[in-house]
């Protein structure tokens, strides 16, 4: 009989013939040397130790070995390692969603009495956390003009503990001068975090541009199929790894290994999906620029996008989400009629999947800017581009008939 490597699931010594015990502690298992291309889904809460003396409760599993499923099974750590490799990070924490990554970043750097800066164009729930939960904890989060560039220096206070960047911004798509903001922040010893979701962690090199923490909603492009929620927090040094890890452990930010396995699969096709989305989205954005009711197209690769020059200088590509602003003569009700008339573009939150999506923002809060409810965000999916343009063309005509 061939000897098998020791299996941690087998009972330690005494064998029993009672079937009830065998159900729980079997002695027979499938052979273990399965060589496939898929990353196994390792589920598990309890991690077994050989001896009491070996028991540790340490989230630093990459260095000290596995201790508890809450800090990640091999599937979870594999995803973290892959994101870290792509982004060039010291370490990547995998968390339940992009919003969880935002929370983990705030709580890593901010204490009661801290001040933090977030762009006005920041992801809505990020700003909401600043005005809600964090305010209640005595942390002041101040919104700043995303196009302020090096002018951010004037906003830094002695207690500023964190500066957020998000480029391009959510919905209004302002591309920030990240290097200028980083230079101003670092001159005062302030760390800079970036929400790098638009670039999927690959079209903008956060760490080469001096960013200290890069977060992503893996829910979007890495997942890529609208069927999972995950986030990542990538850090550039051991010091932040230690402080973020302590918060990560205390918050209990566990994720599902099944979701991580889907994200690992998503990574394998991220390159071809992004390449297709870039060209399809540019074709649609160019077409929209020539439609009379469209006043502006906020796509980072077009000069009409605020901060376009920064995109040109710092990014290696564009992805599949952008916004359009209808002309002032288009009423709010017509914008809604346009959205409702679309057939292939579906109405819903989130983006980055294979399905084209649309959302209007009638009550968008952007201090100093009034878009009059005429802003519409589009997420381009993997449908045939000609069909998407035909859908938009028809919806524009329906909109114009409405008045
Ligand atoms: C969607 C999104 C998030 C939040 O991600 P979830 O996984 O939905 O929590 C954060 N930042 C940006 C820019 C996003 O688009």
């Amino acid at each position: 009989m061939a000897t098998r490597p020791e299996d941690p699931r087998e009972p330690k010594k005494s064998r029993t013939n009672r079937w009830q015990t065998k159900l729980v502690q079997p002695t027979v298992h499938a052979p273990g040397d399965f060589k496939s291309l898929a990353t196994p889904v390792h589920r598990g809460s309890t991690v077994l130790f050989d001896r009491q003396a070996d028991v540790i409760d340490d989230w630093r599993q990459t260095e000290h070995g596995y201790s508890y499923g809450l800090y990640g099974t091999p599937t979870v750590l594999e995803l973290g390692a892959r994101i870290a490799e792509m982004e060039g990070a010291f370490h990547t924490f995998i968390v339940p969603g992009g919003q969880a990554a935002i929370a983990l970043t705030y709580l890593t750097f901010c204490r009661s009495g801290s001040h933090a800066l977030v762009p006005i164009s920041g992801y809505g729930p990020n700003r909401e956390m600043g005005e809600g939960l964090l305010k209640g904890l005595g942390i002041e989060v101040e919104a700043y003009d995303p196009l302020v560039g090096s002018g951010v220096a004037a906003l830094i206070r002695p207690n500023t503990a964190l500066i957020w960047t998000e480029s391009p911004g959510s919905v209004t798509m302002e591309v920030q001068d990240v290097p200028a903001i980083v230079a101003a922040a670092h001159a005062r010893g302030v760390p800079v975090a970036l929400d790098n979701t638009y670039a999927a962690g690959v079209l903008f090199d956060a760490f080469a541009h001096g960013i200290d923490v890069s977060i992503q909603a893996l829910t979007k492009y890495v997942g890529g199929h609208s069927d999972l929620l995950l986030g990542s927090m990538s850090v550039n040094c051991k010091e932040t790894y230690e402080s973020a890890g302590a918060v990560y452990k205390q918050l209990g930010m566990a994720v599902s290994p099944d979701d991580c396995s889907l994200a690992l699969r998503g990574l394998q096709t991220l390159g071809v999906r992004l390449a297709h989305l870039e060209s399809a989205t540019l074709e649609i954005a160019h077409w929209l620029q020539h439609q009379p009711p469209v006043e502006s197209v906020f796509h980072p690769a077009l000069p009409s996008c605020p901060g376009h020059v920064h995109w040109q200088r710092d990014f290696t590509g564009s992805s599949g989400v952008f916004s359009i602003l209808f002309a002032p003569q288009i009423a709010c009700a017509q914008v809604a009629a346009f959205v409702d008339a679309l057939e292939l573009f579906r109405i819903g939150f989130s983006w980055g999947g294979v399905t084209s999506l649309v959302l209007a923002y009638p009550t968008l809060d952007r201090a100093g800017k009034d878009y009059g409810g005429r802003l519409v965000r589009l997420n381009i999916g993997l449908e045939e581009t000609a069909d998407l343009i035909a859908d938009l063309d028809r919806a524009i005509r329906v909109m114009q008939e409405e008045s």
Side-chain angles (χ1 to χ4, degrees):
M1 208 177 116
T3 54
R4 291 215 188 98
E6 217 175 288
D7 190 311
R9 296 166 298 175
E10 291 189 3
K12 282 161 101 177
K13 277 195 213 81
S14 55
R15 300 289 193 252
T16 173
N17 281 326
R18 296 199 178 90
W19 62 269
Q20 292 91 337
T21 301
K22 279 190 186 173
L23 285 173
V24 180
Q25 302 217 16
T27 54
V28 177
H29 300 281
D33 55 347
F34 180 62
K35 292 179 184 147
S36 97
L37 290 167
T39 305
V41 179
H42 288 281
R43 297 198 189 95
S45 49
T46 296
V47 167
L48 298 175
F49 301 97
D50 288 337
R51 293 181 309 266
Q52 173 63 37
D54 297 337
V55 176
I56 52 162
D57 179 19
D58 192 338
W59 60 267
R60 296 172 196 80
Q61 297 189 129
T62 309
E63 296 126 276
H64 300 159
Y66 290 99
S67 60
Y68 190 40
L70 189 66
Y71 318 134
T73 73
T75 315
V76 180
L77 296 200
E78 175 74 18
L79 177 61
R82 296 279 305 277
I83 299 290
E85 181 179 39
M86 296 313 300
E87 295 204 39
F90 177 82
H91 181 86
T92 297
F93 295 94
I94 302 298
V95 297
Q99 180 67 2
I102 289 168
L104 179 57
T105 303
Y106 271 120
L107 295 175
T108 295
F109 294 104
C110 299
R111 302 284 171 271
S112 176
S114 294
H115 169 252
L117 288 162
V118 64
I120 291 166
S121 52
Y123 177 63
N126 179 332
R127 302 221 23 224
E128 198 180 324
M129 190 181 295
E131 283 154 23
L133 196 60
L134 296 173
K135 193 174 187 177
L137 293 173
I139 298 162
E140 186 190 347
V141 182
E142 183 189 349
Y144 72 92
D145 174 0
L147 298 173
V148 71
S150 57
V152 79
L155 303 173
I156 298 175
R157 307 178 192 172
N159 63 335
T160 303
L162 174 68
I163 298 177
W164 272 104
T165 54
E166 183 181 324
S167 183
S170 282
V171 189
T172 42
M173 307 300 291
E174 297 89 341
V175 187
Q176 296 196 265
D177 190 346
V178 169
I181 292 169
V182 164
H186 286 179
R188 300 278 296 274
V190 180
V192 182
L194 170 72
D195 187 329
N196 206 12
T197 302
Y198 172 88
V202 291
L203 301 176
F204 177 82
D205 189 338
F207 296 114
H209 287 93
I211 288 293
D212 300 281
V213 168
S214 163
I215 74 108
Q216 273 193 73
L218 304 178
T219 307
K220 308 289 168 53
Y221 286 127
V222 171
H225 296 78
S226 313
D227 57 1
L228 63 87
L229 287 145
L230 280 175
S232 61
M233 180 200 187
S234 300
V235 304
N236 68 341
C237 67
K238 180 143 170 55
E239 197 187 345
T240 308
Y241 165 68
E242 292 290 343
S243 45
V247 179
Y248 162 81
K249 178 178 190 255
Q250 290 172 57
L251 288 176
M253 285 195 168
V255 300
S256 154
D258 295 83
D259 288 345
C260 290
S261 124
L262 290 174
L264 283 161
R265 174 153 73 172
L267 277 177
Q268 294 174 318
T269 56
L270 179 63
V272 288
R273 283 187 286 115
L274 285 178
H276 174 84
L277 290 175
E278 173 164 41
S279 62
T281 303
L282 276 170
E283 188 178 338
I284 293 166
H286 282 131
W287 180 84
L288 280 163
Q289 267 191 319
H290 296 111
Q291 305 313 305
V294 176
E295 183 180 272
S296 309
V297 177
F298 300 140
H299 181 297
L302 299 182
S304 49
C305 191
H308 163 70
V309 289
H310 306 135
W311 175 83
Q312 227 173 5
R313 183 191 63 194
D314 299 338
F315 282 66
T316 56
S318 57
S319 56
V321 65
F322 69 102
S323 296
I324 54 173
L325 181 65
F326 282 115
Q329 68 268 21
I330 303 294
C332 235
Q334 285 178 287
V335 176
F338 165 78
V339 170
D340 291 345
L342 288 165
E343 290 175 4
L344 292 176
F345 286 86
R346 316 300 293 268
I347 305 168
F349 288 112
S350 208
W351 43 272
V354 302
T355 311
S356 291
L357 298 173
V358 60
L359 263 190
Y361 289 83
T363 58
L364 194 69
D365 161 37
R366 292 284 191 270
K369 276 252 169 73
D370 182 12
Y371 295 96
R374 292 175 281 115
L375 199 68
V376 173
R377 183 173 73 179
L378 298 171
N379 168 71
I380 305 306
L382 298 183
E383 301 92 344
E384 190 58 37
T385 309
D387 286 337
L388 293 175
I389 289 176
D391 199 28
L392 291 164
D393 190 30
R394 207 183 34 76
I396 286 174
R397 275 186 276 119
V398 169
M399 175 183 83
Q400 286 173 315
E401 284 157 20
E402 190 97 358
S403 51

